[in-house]
Amino acid sequence: MKRYFKVFIAIILFFALSFGSGFYFTYRNLLSNQNTDGEQDSVLQEAEKNGHVNILLLGLDAGTIGADEKHNRYRSDTMMLFSLDLKEKKVNVLSIPRDTRVVLPGEGFQKINAAMAFGGPDLAVDVVSKLLNVPVHYYVTVNYEGFKKIVDAIGGVEIEIDRRMKYDDNAGNLHIDLKPGLQVLDGEKAEQFVRFRHYPEGDIARVRAQQKFLKATAKALLQPANILKIPKLIQIVQENVKTDISPVNLVKLANFARQLKEEDVETYTLPGTGQYIGGVSYFIPEEEKVKELVNAIFYDKNGIKVAVLNGSGYSGVANEIAKKLESMGFTVVKVANADSFDYDTTTVLYPKEKPEYAKEISKVLNNPILKEDENSNDDVATIILGKDIKNN
C-alpha cells in the first residue's frame, strides 16, 4: 500500500497534482497500443544522458475576469522548476517568485509571471531557461479550478497557519479570510492560502508558504481512503492539467517517481531581494548567488573548477568553450592562451586522483586526450584546446 502511494506523492511534486494513478491509467492504455516502441522523444533521451530532466510547473491564476476563455490571458501565479536527477534518484525543486524582474521579447522589463500571458508556456519555458541558464525540457500547467477540485477530492489538506490572512481584491474576485491555527483547508481555502501575498517579507514568504502546502498535500495523499478516489482524480487531472510530456515519457518519469523517498526531495528558492523600480514592486535575482545555487541543484559538476587555455591558434574558441562549460555547471577559474598554438589535439589535465573530473569534462569535448597532472597540487582541471576543437 505504501509503495503504491509513492506514485501519488511523486506526481503531485512533478505534475501539479497530476496523480500517480495516471501512471497506471496511461500504462494500461500504452499496453493496448502495439506501436509504442521508440516513441520516447530525443529531448528526454538527451536529458537522460546528462542525468537531469527539468520540468517547469506553472500554476495559473484566474485570468482576466469576464474575458472569454479563448482570449483569456492567464499569468503564472506559481512557478517551480523541478530537476529530476535520474542517476541519483533525487529531485530538487526551485521556486521562482512571480515578481522576478525579467525582459520579455517585445515587452521590455516585466514580472516573470507575465511570460505565460504574453506567450503561453513556450515563452515561460524560454524565459526561465535564460534566467537560470539551464535547459527546461517540459512544462506542466494547472489552473486553480483544478487545484481546488483536487484538494476537495482528497478530503482537504491539514496545515498550520501562522498568521491572520485577510485580503480582498474585488477587481480580481479574490477574497482571502483565514485565521491562524492548525486546520484542514478545503479547495477554496487552500487557494486562499497559496495566493495570499501580503507578508512583511514579501514574495519570498509566499513562496515558502506554497512549498509548505506542497509538503502538507503530499502527506494528505498518504491517507488510505484516497485510493477509492482514483477515478475522480484522474478525471480532474485530465480536465485541468496540460503538459507537453508524451504518454510514453510520462510513464517513464512516473516509474522514476515511485522509487523516491520523502528525503529525496529538496526545495529551494531563487536568491534575490525585493525592490521598487518606477513605482513597481519587483524581485531582483542576485546573479552570483543564483549561479552558485543553479550549479548545486541542476548539475552534477558542482565544485569542479576548470582552466581553459587556447592552444589551437583559433581566435575566441577559449571563451566559447568556457561559456559552454559554465552553462553546464562547471566553475571556470581562468581563460587564457596556452604556452603555444601548436596543439593538434585537445588535452585535459585533471588533478591527481580526480579522474571523475576528466570524465565529466570529456562529455563536453570531442574525444580529448586525458592525462593526470601529477605536478599540480591545485584542485583545478586544465583544458588545453587543440586544433581539433573546430570539430566540437
Side-chain angles (χ1 to χ4, degrees):
M1 180 72 71
K2 185 175 181 181
R3 175 169 178 151
Y4 185 83
F5 273 96
K6 282 184 181 179
V7 182
F8 278 83
I9 294 174
I11 299 302
I12 182 181
L13 291 174
F14 302 155
F15 308 133
L17 307 182
S18 175
F19 289 90
S21 54
F23 169 78
Y24 297 102
F25 179 79
T26 306
Y27 185 60
R28 288 199 303 271
N29 288 342
L30 290 174
L31 286 180
S32 64
N33 186 343
Q34 300 301 313
N35 297 316
T36 59
D37 292 341
E39 288 186 8
Q40 178 176 321
D41 61 46
S42 58
V43 175
L44 184 57
Q45 290 175 345
E46 183 62 27
E48 284 183 306
K49 188 185 301 182
N50 293 327
H52 289 256
V53 177
N54 300 328
I55 303 172
L56 181 63
L57 166 62
L58 300 163
L60 308 185
D61 64 11
T64 304
I65 303 300
D68 63 279
E69 186 63 24
K70 182 178 179 180
H71 299 96
N72 211 334
R73 299 173 72 178
Y74 296 96
R75 293 174 182 256
S76 52
D77 214 36
T78 301
M79 183 175 282
M80 297 180 178
L81 186 60
F82 292 78
S83 186
L84 285 57
D85 189 332
L86 304 181
K87 295 178 180 178
E88 299 298 326
K89 300 293 189 295
K90 294 182 179 180
V91 178
N92 290 319
V93 186
L94 178 63
S95 293
I96 303 171
R98 53 171 280 165
D99 290 346
T100 301
R101 191 170 188 253
V102 295
V103 175
L104 299 184
E107 305 296 338
F109 284 106
Q110 297 282 340
K111 296 183 178 183
I112 198 169
N113 69 331
M116 181 69 195
F118 285 116
D122 289 337
L123 180 58
V125 164
D126 184 60
V127 171
V128 170
S129 180
K130 289 178 180 177
L131 171 68
L132 302 178
N133 200 22
V134 300
V136 179
H137 303 108
Y138 302 107
Y139 70 81
V140 176
T141 69
V142 59
N143 59 47
Y144 270 113
E145 283 305 310
F147 171 81
K148 291 188 291 185
K149 289 177 181 178
I150 289 171
V151 172
D152 285 335
I154 62 175
V157 174
E158 185 178 62
I159 198 164
E160 179 81 35
I161 299 180
D162 62 4
R163 70 189 69 205
R164 182 78 166 93
M165 295 181 172
K166 178 68 175 175
Y167 175 73
D168 289 290
D169 177 6
N170 294 321
N173 195 29
L174 175 63
H175 304 282
I176 298 174
D177 188 6
L178 299 173
K179 293 181 173 60
L182 182 65
Q183 54 200 282
V184 176
L185 304 181
D186 61 14
E188 189 71 33
K189 291 183 178 179
E191 180 189 4
Q192 294 178 33
F193 180 78
V194 299
R195 294 187 68 183
F196 184 74
R197 300 188 63 196
H198 296 270
Y199 297 95
E201 309 92 326
D203 214 27
I204 288 296
R206 181 172 181 268
V207 166
R208 286 198 294 264
Q210 291 177 345
Q211 293 176 341
K212 178 180 178 179
F213 185 84
L214 196 68
K215 294 176 181 178
T217 306
K219 182 179 179 180
L221 289 170
L222 285 171
Q223 302 303 315
N226 281 323
I227 194 170
L228 302 176
K229 303 171 183 176
I230 290 176
K232 179 63 175 176
L233 294 172
I234 293 174
Q235 180 184 347
I236 295 171
V237 168
Q238 289 177 327
E239 292 174 353
N240 298 280
V241 176
K242 296 181 180 179
T243 180
D244 59 349
I245 305 174
S246 69
V248 173
N249 289 336
L250 182 57
V251 169
K252 189 175 185 66
L253 294 175
N255 186 52
F256 160 80
R258 68 187 180 87
Q259 302 174 53
L260 295 172
K261 301 182 290 295
E262 184 177 351
E263 58 267 28
D264 295 330
V265 180
E266 295 288 343
T267 56
Y268 304 86
T269 302
L270 191 73
T273 57
Q275 185 177 338
Y276 276 91
I277 301 177
V280 179
S281 174
Y282 290 102
F283 180 83
I284 309 299
E286 298 180 32
E287 292 186 11
E288 288 303 315
K289 290 184 178 180
V290 169
K291 182 178 177 181
E292 183 179 329
L293 182 62
V294 165
N295 286 345
I297 68 179
F298 290 100
Y299 297 101
D300 298 323
K301 293 91 178 177
N302 187 41
I304 299 183
K305 299 177 182 179
V306 182
V308 183
L309 306 181
N310 186 359
S312 69
Y314 299 125
S315 176
V317 294
N319 283 321
E320 290 178 11
I321 294 299
K323 289 179 181 179
K324 186 175 182 179
L325 289 164
E326 287 182 331
S327 72
M328 298 184 70
F330 295 92
T331 300
V332 177
V333 297
K334 181 180 180 181
V335 179
N337 290 326
D339 55 353
S340 78
F341 293 139
D342 296 330
Y343 289 86
D344 292 320
T345 306
T346 298
T347 302
V348 176
L349 303 175
Y350 59 88
K352 191 174 182 179
E353 299 181 353
K354 294 286 186 178
E356 66 273 16
Y357 283 22
K359 181 180 178 182
E360 292 298 334
I361 295 170
S362 64
K363 294 179 181 178
V364 185
L365 305 172
N366 185 23
N367 296 321
I369 296 173
L370 308 179
K371 292 182 179 180
E372 184 177 72
D373 190 355
E374 298 180 350
N375 299 320
S376 175
N377 294 321
D378 294 332
D379 194 27
V380 177
T382 300
I383 303 173
I384 304 176
L385 302 176
K387 298 185 185 304
D388 63 338
I389 196 62
K390 284 295 185 179
N391 298 325
N392 274 274

